């Protein structure tokens, strides 16, 4: 099917033809035939790199041409940024929303396409953002994540709410890995477009001893070392390809990258340039190790890396200079980084309480789908590594020939249900218990035929919790959210977290930094750090000296949960006390990405706690507001006046303070020349533009600035 005959606007047609796209792939043509341009709902279950995004993009341009508005939901912020860049510059206005969770973001309504995470869309619904009623096309990228334990229920409820709000909305759901696509298509009222076609042939096999066994052939691999994984990489690089190697842990990713670098020993000015960039910003041993690996053509990739480090690695790989990346499975979750050969080295993963367990088939398929770069590779290979000859057939049966697991609803989780039921009541989707049940009847959970009685009991228990917490009130059959309940819903925090925070604040007279941070780290909303054996000395020493500073009692049966929350709180306290990044990484055995992840998570809870304090504990609102800025920027209290200037972060503020310029008045008195000697003339000029009022006025930090919406 030729592109030129499709009902897409000239700007998009010109972009496609300029990139050499003149014909649709067979699965794309099947989508058109299934009603893509006729407003039909579609579930598109086709392999990675088969052109799902292009199908969605054509549908969005067609909808906008008819006066519509499009919402494109993604699971990850990094993927949102990637899609925003991909959709921009083609004749439509494109917006992106991934940040603050208590804002209506009405300005986004000016755009034709809005790219957002499911959590952000949920928060926009809770804050009654008006432009959501204008959305005529909803695109759901990686829709199989409706099965994800941590965020699946949110995605499911967002879909249900948008369909309830806009009954005529067109839905296009995209996935490469669904075991039961018919079930999901049935719930969405969608035509199922299913295909195994790929633009690049995918060969899946198992490596053992000195060769790869595929279903229809064997391929010998020259053994150049004692390591199977390294020899597979060297084999691919020797014929001009690149490799992704998936391993089970960060430690394994870093170890393999060092091994691969020693085996490749590539050297060229471009790699040296990447390494210099990494080295110049590296504040940890991990960053320096990454730079040394990249200099020789290898890299590792995981959530512990800083954002800039991840970007350099991804750019170097896309440009073909970095020949191998060793990664945890995070890289398989959406980012567009294909390679000639994907090596799934570790198919067992440690799960707390279970030990080493096999990864799901769906996860293997996500990894294998990265094999083969369209227009660059003649084929793609996905290779598992067997430890014994007997395991070869087992790996074929368990992964290569096995169907992906069925997608199941996560709405049965009572803890998850509580926050979504409060949202339904606070935003007027349901005003009676029967209406709550009727709304839940439209979920994927109900469509799958799960027990209606179990759902009814779970809903009743959630309503009882919300009543006891005084987040809802009932008059007869009528249910209303209280001021407290409405605030919790708008703030986008778990009602259980709100109860923990409010209960501790009401009883607390004196504020302490560590007590407040530990309180937040004890809530269900806060991810916490893992505990290692050598962490216990640090925690025990802290408790011996500062037990009274905590806002919560130490439970008599304090276990790992308490230890994890305390370790996380201590890391955050160090960050807010300007402890160096390298010291924090060494002290807590984390990477820069972990620091930013924890800071980002707690920043939102600090922001929410400030709002709750105004309602329940006004005497704590001021110090919490200070901590909001301190956690955002990683600064001591003395730098707060300086941080309110745009362009001044923790490093520049400290430099000014150490030069006796710790206030706005001191800066004005010093003048541009003296400040320029400390920070540089360009920065000084921008500061004095603000001080003189030619730029945005210095003063209270706005709501948008007061959270980490663009951190990391």
């Amino acid at each position: 099917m030729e592109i030129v005959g499709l009902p897409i606007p000239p700007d998009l047609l010109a972009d496609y033809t300029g990139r050499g796209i003149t014909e649709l792939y067979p699965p794309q043509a099947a989508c058109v035939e299934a009603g893509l341009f006729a407003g039909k709902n579609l579930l598109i279950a086709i392999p990675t790199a088969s052109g799902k995004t292009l199908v969605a993009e054509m549908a969005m341009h067609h909808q906008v041409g008819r006066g519509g508005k499009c919402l494109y939901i993604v699971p990850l912020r990094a993927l949102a940024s990637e899609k925003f860049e991909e959709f921009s510059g083609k004749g439509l206005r494109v917006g992106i929303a991934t940040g603050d969770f208590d804002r209506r973001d009405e300005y986004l309504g000016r755009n034709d396409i809005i790219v957002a995470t499911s959590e952000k869309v949920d928060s926009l619904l809770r804050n009654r953002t008006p432009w959501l009623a204008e959305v005529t096309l909803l695109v759901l990228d990686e829709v199989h994540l409706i099965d994800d334990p941590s965020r699946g229920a949110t995605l499911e409820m967002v879909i249900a709410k948008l369909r309830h709000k806009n009954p005529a909305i067109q839905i296009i759901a995209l996935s490469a890995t669904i075991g039961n696509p018919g079930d999901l298509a049935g719930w969405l009222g969608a035509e199922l477009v299913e295909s195994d076609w790929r633009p690049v042939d995918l060969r899946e096999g198992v490596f053992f001893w000195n060769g790869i066994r595929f279903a229809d052939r064997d391929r010998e691999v020259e053994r150049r070392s004692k390591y199977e994984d390294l020899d597979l990489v060297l084999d691919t690089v020797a014929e001009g390809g690149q490799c992704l190697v998936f391993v089970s842990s960060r430690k394994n990713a870093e170890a393999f990258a060092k091994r691969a670098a020693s085996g490749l020993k590539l050297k060229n000015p471009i790699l040296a340039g990447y390494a210099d960039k990494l080295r110049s910003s590296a504040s940890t041993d991990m960053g320096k190790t990454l730079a040394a690996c990249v200099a020789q053509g290898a890299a590792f990739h995981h959530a512990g890396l800083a954002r800039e480090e991840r970007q350099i690695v991804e750019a170097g790989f896309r440009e073909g200079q970095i020949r191998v990346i060793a990664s945890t499975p995070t890289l398989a979750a959406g980012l567009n980084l294909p390679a000639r050969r994907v090596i799934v080295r570790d198919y067992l993963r440690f799960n707390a309480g279970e030990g080493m367990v096999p990864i799901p088939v769906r996860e293997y398929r996500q990894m294998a789908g990265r094999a083969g770069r369209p227009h660059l590779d003649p084929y793609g290979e996905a290779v598992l590594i067997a430890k014994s000859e007997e395991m070869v057939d087992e790996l074929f049966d368990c992964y290569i020939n096995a169907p992906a697991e069925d997608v199941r609803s996560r709405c049965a989780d009572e803890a998850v249900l509580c926050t979504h039921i409060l949202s339904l009541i606070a935003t007027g989707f349901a005003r009676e218990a029967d209406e709550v049940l009727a709304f839940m009847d439209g979920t994927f959970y109900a469509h799958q035929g799960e027990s209606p009685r179990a759902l009814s009991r779970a809903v009743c228990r959630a309503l009882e919790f919300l009543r006891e917490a005084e987040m809802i009130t009932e008059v007869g059959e009528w249910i209303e959210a209280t001021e407290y309940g409405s605030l919790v819903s708008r703030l986008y925090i778990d009602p259980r977290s709100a109860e923990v925070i409010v209960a501790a604040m009401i009883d607390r007279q004196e504020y302490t930094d560590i007590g407040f941070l530990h309180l937040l780290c004890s809530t269900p909303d806060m991810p916490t750090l893992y505990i290692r054996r050598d962490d216990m000395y640090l925690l025990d020493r802290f408790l011996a000296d500062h037990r009274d500073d905590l806002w919560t009692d130490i439970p008599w049966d304090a276990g790992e949960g308490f230890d994890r929350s305390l370790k996380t709180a201590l890391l955050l306290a160090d960050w807010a006390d300007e402890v160096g990044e390298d010291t924090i990484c060494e002290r807590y055995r984390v990477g820069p990405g972990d620091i930013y992840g924890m800071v980002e998570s707690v920043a939102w809870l600090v922001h929410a706690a400030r709002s709750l304090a105004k309602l329940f504990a006004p005497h704590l609102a001021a110090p919490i507001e200070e901590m909001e800025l301190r956690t955002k920027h990683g600064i001591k209290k003395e730098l707060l006046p300086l941080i309110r200037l745009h362009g001044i972060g923790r490093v520049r503020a400290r430099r000014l303070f150490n030069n006796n310029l710790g206030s706005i008045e001191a800066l004005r008195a010093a003048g541009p020349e003296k400040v320029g000697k400390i920070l540089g003339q360009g920065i000084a000029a921008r500061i004095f533009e603000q001080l003189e009022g030619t730029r945005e006025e210095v003063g209270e930090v706005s709501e948008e600035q007061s959270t980490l919406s663009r951190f990391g």
Side-chain angles (χ1 to χ4, degrees), residues 48-49 78-79 82-83 242-246 299-302 309-320 322-328 330-342 366-374 376-377:
T48 301
L79 193 54
E82 188 176 286
K83 295 303 178 186
Q242 291 173 281
C243 273
L244 292 175
V245 182
F246 287 106
F300 52 87
H301 189 293
H302 55 62
E309 291 170 333
R310 292 197 302 269
Q311 288 174 338
I312 290 170
V313 168
E314 290 163 15
F317 194 77
R318 284 194 180 104
E319 291 168 16
I322 294 174
R323 308 311 294 272
V324 58
I325 294 178
S327 175
T328 54
T330 52
L331 193 65
L335 289 180
N336 182 27
L337 281 181
R340 171 79 59 84
R341 178 178 283 166
V342 167
Q366 287 282 355
M367 297 174 188
R370 301 288 159 209
R373 300 166 299 173
L376 292 174
D377 290 326

Side-chain angles (χ1 to χ4, degrees), residues 262-291:
S262 298
L264 289 170
K265 295 178 182 173
L266 302 178
K267 292 190 186 300
N268 65 54
I270 300 176
L271 286 172
Y274 289 139
D276 287 343
K277 282 184 186 176
L278 290 165
R279 204 174 289 112
S280 65
S281 61
S283 58
T284 64
D285 288 341
M286 183 179 68
K288 294 167 188 171
T289 300
L290 179 61

Side-chain angles (χ1 to χ4, degrees), residues 310-433:
R310 292 197 302 269
Q311 288 174 338
I312 290 170
V313 168
E314 290 163 15
F317 194 77
R318 284 194 180 104
E319 291 168 16
Q321 298 298 325
I322 294 174
R323 308 311 294 272
V324 58
I325 294 178
S327 175
T328 54
T330 52
L331 193 65
L335 289 180
N336 182 27
L337 281 181
R340 171 79 59 84
R341 178 178 283 166
V342 167
I343 302 167
V344 183
R345 194 193 75 178
D346 299 342
Y347 36 84
L348 296 176
R349 178 189 303 133
F350 180 79
N351 278 1
E354 297 179 272
M356 300 302 287
V357 297
I359 62 171
V361 177
R362 188 186 304 140
E363 193 167 297
Y364 162 74
R365 296 224 177 285
Q366 287 282 355
M367 297 174 188
R370 301 288 159 209
R373 300 166 299 173
H375 313 300
L376 292 174
D377 290 326
Y379 58 88
E381 286 183 352
V383 181
L384 293 142
I385 299 177
K387 305 299 182 189
S388 66
E389 192 166 5
E390 294 74 26
M391 283 191 68
V392 175
D393 289 337
E394 188 177 335
L395 289 172
F396 264 93
D397 292 340
C398 292
Y399 289 107
I400 295 173
N401 297 329
E405 295 83 3
D406 287 355
V407 170
R408 311 298 299 177
S409 170
R410 295 288 175 169
C411 276
D413 184 334
E414 283 186 37
V416 170
L417 204 56
C418 192
T419 187
H420 289 296
I421 286 176
L422 176 60
S423 166
L424 289 175
I425 295 166
T427 52
F429 279 95
R431 292 299 193 191
E432 299 177 5

Side-chain angles (χ1 to χ4, degrees), residues 234-250:
L234 296 176
D235 179 66
T236 306
V237 173
E239 61 172 30
Q242 291 173 281
C243 273
L244 292 175
V245 182
F246 287 106
V247 296
S248 60
S249 68
R250 298 178 184 186

Side-chain angles (χ1 to χ4, degrees), residues 491-548:
L491 287 170
Y492 204 74
I493 60 171
D494 190 317
R496 296 171 302 159
S497 295
E499 279 290 88
V500 170
I501 294 167
V502 168
M505 289 197 303
I506 287 175
D507 293 335
R508 191 75 194 178
Q509 294 304 313
E510 299 295 326
Y511 172 86
T512 60
D513 287 344
I514 189 61
F516 175 62
L517 290 172
H518 178 252
L519 171 68
L520 301 185
C521 292
S522 303
T523 65
D525 276 309
M526 185 65 196
T528 51
L529 298 167
Y530 288 107
I531 292 292
R532 294 180 171 85
R533 189 176 303 168
D534 52 1
D535 291 326
M536 297 312 299
Y537 172 73
L538 172 74
L539 301 184
D540 290 342
R541 191 178 64 183
F542 171 83
L543 288 173
D545 297 335
H546 302 284
R547 181 185 298 258
D548 293 340

